[in-house]
Amino acid sequence: MSDELDRIRREMHSVLQPEGVRPDDSLKITRRTFIHGSLVFGAATVGQAFAWWPLLNTLDIAHAAEAPFKFAWISDTHLYPRSLNTRFVDKVVRAAQEVQAMDPPADFLIFGGDLAQLGKIEELELGVDLLKEIKIPKHYIPGEHDWYLDMGKKWGELFGQPNWTFDHKGVRFIGLDTVSRGPDYWTAKNMTPEERMGHMATLDGTVAGPWAGVGRDQLDWMEKTLADWDKTRPVVIFSHNPLYEYYPPWNFWVRDWREVHEVLKPFAKVTNIHGHVHQVLYNEIGTLRSIGMLATSWPWPYAPEGLPKLTKPMIRVDPGDPYDGVGWEKIDVAATDEVDVEYIMWGRKEVFVQSPEDHDKNVSEIIRPRIADNMWPY
Amino acid sequence: MTIKPSFRSLLRRSAAAGSIALAAVLVGPASAHKDPVSPEQLKIYQEAFMEEVRKGDLLFHGDQATADAMGVGTSLSKTGMACAMCHPMASDTHPQSFPKFQAQMAKFATLRDMINWCIEKPNQGEKIDPESEAMKALEAYITWSNTGSVLQPGKF
Ligand SMILES: [Fe+2]
Ligand SMILES: [Fe+2]
């Protein structure tokens, strides 16, 4: 990790993970950082992390809407061609059937990116095909796995603009593209499109670098999009990557997260729903609440550091069960001023840890970045 | 120069331990004619280790050319799944917790047993020889990546 990334990460941690004290109000970022009232300040032990959360599968995030409605989220299906991997296909089929069977039906589906594993036409088209089972309106944002084989060409043909906005029953929804603005790591090294995609598709790779970002142009677009919106009305933002800094080495962030929060600061009720992390995740920054979604393909472990204290961790999964630790989400927007996210984690009644032993970090570990992708052949 | 007195004091302190230490001292002189380890030798040893780490890293991340070269090209995975897809930076491999009773296998298991289990179940591949070069390379990468983790054998 570069010194710059390290510095930024430390800065974020100093705000989100204070050691025993409330953050100093004189710090610029601190003023935007609202810490949940019931949070116990101090060292983040596994025990503390789960002790204060209600043992429910539903997250309660109070925001208003004109009329109650539901929508659904599926992301990170990471489809290979059907001939190579049928498990991933089966899980998309199951998610699609379950979304379609919702009663009352969801108003729309958000697909949160990483439809394909290696950005192939065959993979993206397979995804479109499988999601045809879902008849409600569908909105797509891209993931890095969808993009870096042909730089979004096929994705654009299938789904159009990667960033978009619409209003629905008193809520402004915004879809962001957090993947297409990666710094060019391929030209100087004369990479083939497949090599470029291969580095991008490796979460712990060191070659693609800090690719996740919103970009100045899109920030301006977002600011313009929100200019006419009542600052007390709810805003829901969909992004592939989380809009704060969790763990940059895996691009569990956007590198310009601070600029994002500058744009969102005037709005009282902002919810960010994101994919990419393949895990249960919850954080609050300023007035923004951020919720991480499950993949259908496989779960990522929690990062070795930087897990927000406000996250009640998901249960340690059984790697022998392809349906464990994965699934999709129902999002309920109620007239009683609430947005509830319900994790549909297949094969689990309890989504969250019930004891420290249920946490994947129960065995403490110190790990370090890989080296081989920098040593050879590049 | 400073080693001899410490051995002697060890011998003086405990007669029982002394006989073991004495045995070690007696074995010692057989190699006494050899030279102390040189920086060049240390470099070679370290490079030999890091070469295993490098190969293991590539196997762990699904590099087909390395898998083919090491004779495991068709066994490590048949579904496009690679170890690193669930274990970025070899996290959650927990080499420091082995050997232990492994719930998924319902038996007392080593890290190599666990690697083979992952090859068979999530990757839907075929077990590899636990003594093979590929297995040793995977073990090298996983343990290297967890450098600094504290031994917790048996920990769930
Ligand atoms: Fe993903
Ligand atoms: Fe992703």
Side-chain angles (χ1 to χ4, degrees), chain A residues 76 78 113-114 117 142-149 179 197 200-201 203 211 240-241 250 276:
Chain A
D76 297 280
H78 290 266
D114 285 350
Q117 169 65 6
E144 77 280 14
H145 288 255
D146 302 321
W147 201 266
Y148 281 81
L149 184 65
V179 303
M197 185 69 243
M200 182 55 71
L203 188 82
W211 51 262
H240 184 63
N241 302 74
W250 298 349
H276 185 62

Side-chain angles (χ1 to χ4, degrees), chain A residues 101-169:
Chain A
M102 279 172 70
D103 185 20
D107 284 12
F108 53 85
L109 171 84
I110 302 296
F111 189 88
D114 285 350
L115 182 61
Q117 169 65 6
L118 295 173
K120 292 179 181 170
I121 290 173
E122 187 185 356
E123 296 168 349
L124 290 166
E125 285 181 342
L126 173 61
V128 170
D129 222 41
L130 297 174
L131 293 172
K132 274 185 186 150
E133 167 75 16
I134 300 171
K135 313 296 182 199
I136 52 176
K138 291 173 284 226
H139 305 277
Y140 294 77
I141 52 172
E144 77 280 14
H145 288 255
D146 302 321
W147 201 266
Y148 281 81
L149 184 65
D150 63 3
M151 303 310 288
K153 184 169 174 288
K154 183 67 187 177
W155 195 94
E157 285 168 19
L158 290 170
F159 308 118
Q161 262 297 108
N163 57 325
W164 37 259
T165 181
F166 64 86
D167 296 346
H168 188 75
K169 296 180 180 170

